[in-house]
Amino acid sequence: MPAENWDGEVEAFVEIDPTGRFGRYNDLLGYGAVKKVYRGFDQEEGIEVAWNQVKLRNFSNDPVLINRLHSEVELLRNLSNKYIIVCYSVWKDDEHGNINFITEVKIGDLGLAAIVGRSHAAHSILGTPEYMAPELYEEDYTEMVDIYSFGMCLLEMVTMEIPYSECDNVAKIYKKVTLGIKPQALSNVRDPEVKAFIEKCIAQPRARPSATDLLKDPFFSELNNDEESTSLST
């Protein structure tokens, strides 16, 4: 049975998986380079799940890429580790041109963007532009792009705003990022230390600290000291 909302009303599913176990609501939890994640419900266990939906047109109808995608999701379903998202089910919906898979409601993703990045669709998809380092557009980058993305995620958590939300299309985001124009949300960060830390993460590639260097940053040292003080006081 569909779950009840906070008002005690039964929410209707907009889609049900072939087995009848999982139902999808119309609530979009998030999206990435190639997939959307909707709120779902496991009628067998009585718990909410993440209904991941990938449009196969993102893969230019290339059967090799589609098979690789399906294989990657199947691999995830067969893995069991506390550090890896649990995948409960996966199936291909030929009628709507989708691959659907059900996972926990945890933060995570697959290597789908990397697969698409090798296809002709890369130039139209690119990824999630709000969090992409400028060098990604030049296709000449290192792991430092992850530091940039981390900084943008931190900016969103601090301000509760999606970076570059002042832009109404991807082209405008691209222009600002490549010109080195910081998102307006950065000006809303009141704490100077937090702002300085974010600015380090989204600086030019050579100026960005490594993940190891970030962990040694005073920003984290103060957090660790606060945690230690709290544990001692309790």
Side-chain angles (χ1 to χ4, degrees), residues 78-94:
N78 291 316
L79 294 176
S80 178
N81 187 285
K82 65 179 180 179
Y83 298 110
I84 300 176
I85 292 177
V86 175
C87 182
Y88 301 110
S89 180
V90 55
W91 71 97
K92 185 178 177 183
D93 182 351
D94 291 314

Side-chain angles (χ1 to χ4, degrees), residues 70-110:
H70 198 273
S71 297
E72 184 171 355
V73 179
E74 280 286 1
L75 174 63
L76 178 64
R77 192 164 69 94
N78 291 316
L79 294 176
S80 178
N81 187 285
K82 65 179 180 179
Y83 298 110
I84 300 176
I85 292 177
V86 175
C87 182
Y88 301 110
S89 180
V90 55
W91 71 97
K92 185 178 177 183
D93 182 351
D94 291 314
E95 181 181 352
H96 298 97
N98 300 327
I99 284 183
N100 299 289
F101 56 102
I102 307 297
T103 62
E104 300 175 279
V105 189
K106 290 182 178 178
I107 296 174
D109 209 342
L110 301 173

Side-chain angles (χ1 to χ4, degrees), residues 3-137:
E4 294 184 353
N5 60 22
W6 291 106
D7 298 323
E9 299 175 345
V10 176
E11 295 183 82
F13 295 140
V14 296
E15 189 175 355
I16 298 176
D17 83 302
T19 69
R21 174 179 173 178
F22 301 102
R24 177 174 77 81
Y25 300 112
N26 206 31
D27 302 331
L28 184 65
L29 300 178
Y31 64 93
V34 296
K35 71 180 175 72
K36 292 182 178 180
V37 184
Y38 295 91
R39 186 167 65 92
F41 189 76
D42 182 346
Q43 299 185 92
E44 185 175 300
E45 298 293 333
I47 58 172
E48 289 195 339
V49 293
W51 181 302
N52 302 264
Q53 193 168 83
V54 179
K55 290 290 184 184
L56 294 181
R57 66 169 178 266
N58 291 336
F59 296 86
S60 302
N61 295 318
D62 186 325
V64 175
L65 291 177
I66 292 173
N67 287 336
R68 287 182 61 187
L69 165 64
H70 198 273
S71 297
E72 184 171 355
V73 179
E74 280 286 1
L75 174 63
L76 178 64
R77 192 164 69 94
N78 291 316
L79 294 176
S80 178
N81 187 285
K82 65 179 180 179
Y83 298 110
I84 300 176
I85 292 177
V86 175
C87 182
Y88 301 110
S89 180
V90 55
W91 71 97
K92 185 178 177 183
D93 182 351
D94 291 314
E95 181 181 352
H96 298 97
N98 300 327
I99 284 183
N100 299 289
F101 56 102
I102 307 297
T103 62
E104 300 175 279
V105 189
K106 290 182 178 178
I107 296 174
D109 209 342
L110 301 173
L112 308 184
I115 295 175
V116 175
R118 297 185 183 96
S119 74
H120 296 296
H123 298 291
S124 60
I125 297 173
L126 290 176
T128 310
E130 297 90 343
Y131 307 90
M132 290 175 60
E135 64 267 28
L136 270 169
Y137 293 99

